[in-house]
Amino acid sequence: MNTQKLKNRWLIAASAVGIHISIGSVYAYSVMTNPVKDVFDVDGSVIKWAFKIAILLLGLSAAFLGRWVERVGPKVSGTTAGIFYGIGILGSGLAVQLESLTLFYLCYGVIGGIGLGLGYITPVSTLVKWFPDRRGLATGMAIMGFGFAALIFGPVMQSLFETVGVSNAFYILGVIYMILILSSARYIERPPEGYMPEGFKPGEGKTIKADMANIDANAALKTTRFYYIWVMMFINIACGIAIISAASPMMQEKLNYTPMQAATIVGLIGVFNGLGRIIWSSLSDYLGRANTYIIFFGFQILAFFFLPQITMELVFLIVLFTVITMYGGGFATLPAFLGDLFGTKQLGAIHGMVLAAWGLAGVVGPTIYDVVKNATGSLDITLKVFAGLFVVALMVSLLMKRSVTKAYREINKELKFA
């Protein structure tokens, strides 16, 4: 490919954001819970199963289809994601129209969930290859789109439900998502082999740090570093999802907020979730990936331990929102870290296998919270359990730091004598 035909890497990044903003609308699921439960005349918890199935399928499809995504390239996998997610939402509209709960689970949960998983991993390894000099920033931009999507599509959904009805709202949303994802997938493609950004000259100014390895997914599974990062992500996600799922009642219990005031805080949690994705992933380009996770876990041990004792409203909210930025930041820093650890050969596949932690943590985190809270009746004890989990995560991240430092020392030694 010659330089005249080279695509603009910032437009590639914008295409990645287009895909992630569309599929990230799954985070606005709570907006549709009440309208949909009224149609089926069931409890809200029954309707939430479609969301749980979708997140489970996100993790499973990311884990099992990662190699396929790498093989066919982002254009094909992005198009497939658009078709699956679009059909999943359109089919949900049909399920509502026919009042078939089984069809709703199948369309939103299974078909939509597969689209979610494919859409989530499709742009990430491509962006890492286009931005060898700013991996954290590039992946942070796309994954920030996933975090912010609820803020954009939540009000759109609510407006559609009120104006055109539930089934028609799904039909319109399905068409919007499909157009956004398919048009984004048309532009996105891998850079040419050995691509370097224009104007970048090795040896002058900023250098690009060598990857520790450039291996495939099977080889990655044989390394201790893969399991370190898997455990780190599992704990960060489990604890983060637990506090997000319990945010509203926690605000009402600790700060005596009304349900409406607590709902406002839940909205702000979405903002900080999105902001954390771009801020922390960008900072990781300078702090180092392993150091970023050490900061996450060190802060959150203290945050979860002391949060129940904080009585000053402003301090409580600052600590809570900082925790949420680290939850989002963990997702966004992950692809760049995986690129550093394993190279870009099969990054999409490796990323998918780590995302299996998401599906599992989404069930385990809130369950631990509910079980401990119900057994003890104490928010204090419940959050201390999560603080204990973060101690484990911190120890694992320190082992990762030692492993990374040792690997780079060996790489530098080899380069020196090459």
Side-chain angles (χ1 to χ4, degrees):
M1 187 188 285
N2 60 49
T3 51
Q4 273 74 39
K5 290 181 182 173
L6 199 65
K7 286 190 172 177
N8 184 316
R9 66 178 184 157
W10 294 101
L11 289 179
I12 296 279
S15 300
V17 172
I19 293 173
H20 269 235
I21 276 184
S22 303
I23 61 171
S25 60
V26 72
Y27 268 0
Y29 188 83
S30 59
V31 175
M32 65 177 75
T33 304
N34 283 341
V36 173
K37 83 176 174 67
D38 290 343
V39 170
F40 290 113
D41 195 23
V42 292
D43 190 69
S45 60
V46 175
I47 296 302
K48 283 177 189 168
W49 269 104
F51 174 78
K52 292 179 185 177
I53 295 166
I55 295 298
L56 178 65
L57 264 291
L58 186 160
L60 291 175
S61 58
F64 290 107
L65 296 174
R67 288 180 176 86
W68 178 79
V69 168
E70 287 292 340
R71 191 168 68 248
V72 300
K75 205 182 290 289
V76 172
S77 63
T79 301
T80 308
I83 292 168
F84 267 86
Y85 194 60
I87 287 173
I89 303 301
L90 291 169
S92 300
L94 182 62
V96 168
Q97 196 171 328
L98 299 175
E99 296 187 19
S100 168
L101 192 56
T102 305
L103 186 61
F104 188 74
Y105 287 157
L106 175 67
C107 291
Y108 194 95
V110 178
I111 299 172
I114 292 169
L116 277 174
L118 284 174
Y120 194 93
I121 60 174
T122 283
V124 172
S125 64
T126 305
L127 279 181
V128 169
K129 291 165 189 167
W130 277 103
F131 289 82
D133 52 334
R134 300 167 91 176
R135 281 178 173 174
L137 171 67
T139 57
M141 281 190 299
I143 292 171
M144 177 187 69
F146 195 92
F148 273 140
L151 281 175
I152 297 163
F153 279 110
V156 172
M157 283 179 191
Q158 189 59 45
S159 175
L160 286 171
F161 287 139
E162 289 171 5
T163 54
V164 298
V166 181
S167 58
N168 287 335
F170 277 111
Y171 293 144
I172 292 167
L173 289 166
V175 171
I176 292 170
Y177 298 148
M178 202 179 271
I179 290 170
L180 256 174
I181 299 173
L182 294 181
S183 55
S184 297
R186 276 184 65 81
Y187 191 81
I188 201 166
E189 66 178 35
R190 294 179 183 133
E193 201 68 40
Y195 166 79
M196 285 291 157
E198 195 178 337
F200 179 83
K201 294 173 184 169
E204 293 181 16
K206 186 180 176 184
T207 58
I208 295 175
K209 206 172 187 181
D211 296 329
M212 273 168 262
N214 196 27
I215 56 179
D216 63 20
N218 287 336
L221 278 172
K222 294 172 184 170
T223 67
T224 52
R225 287 181 203 129
F226 176 86
Y227 298 98
Y228 287 160
I229 192 73
W230 202 98
V231 170
M232 287 157 59
M233 286 303 299
F234 174 79
I235 292 174
N236 199 55
I237 296 166
C239 299
I241 281 184
I243 210 162
I244 287 171
S245 67
S248 179
M250 190 168 67
M251 294 291 106
Q252 293 172 57
E253 180 182 333
K254 290 303 298 177
L255 301 179
N256 295 316
Y257 276 12
T258 65
M260 185 53 74
Q261 287 173 320
T264 305
I265 298 299
V266 171
L268 284 171
I269 280 173
V271 174
F272 284 95
N273 186 356
L275 286 175
R277 291 165 190 249
I278 188 71
I279 291 167
W280 284 111
S281 59
S282 301
L283 280 174
S284 76
D285 286 334
Y286 304 96
L287 296 171
R289 255 51 100 173
N291 291 339
T292 302
Y293 281 94
I294 289 169
I295 291 167
F296 287 171
F297 302 138
F299 178 86
Q300 288 182 101
I301 289 169
L302 299 173
F304 276 72
F305 192 87
F306 290 110
L307 199 61
Q309 278 87 54
I310 298 171
T311 52
M312 283 182 63
E313 182 183 11
L314 183 62
V315 177
F316 187 97
L317 292 176
I318 288 170
V319 172
L320 175 68
F321 289 145
T322 305
V323 165
I324 297 301
T325 68
M326 291 174 171
Y327 168 75
F331 280 111
T333 307
L334 173 65
F337 199 6
L338 293 176
D340 298 345
L341 295 171
F342 306 114
T344 57
K345 187 176 182 180
Q346 280 198 339
L347 181 57
I350 296 166
H351 186 211
M353 291 190 300
V354 176
L355 285 181
W358 188 358
L360 190 59
V363 176
V364 172
T367 303
I368 290 174
Y369 184 98
D370 291 340
V371 167
V372 178
K373 183 81 161 58
N374 291 338
T376 64
S378 166
L379 182 66
D380 196 339
I381 294 171
T382 307
L383 292 189
K384 279 184 171 61
V385 169
F386 288 110
L389 284 173
F390 277 121
V391 171
V392 176
L394 179 62
M395 290 191 292
V396 174
S397 67
L398 290 169
L399 289 171
M400 175 69 94
K401 171 70 176 174
R402 189 177 72 170
S403 172
V404 167
T405 304
K406 184 181 173 188
Y408 276 127
R409 203 178 290 134
E410 287 170 5
I411 290 168
N412 291 334
K413 199 184 293 179
E414 285 171 17
L415 291 173
K416 194 175 178 182
F417 293 108

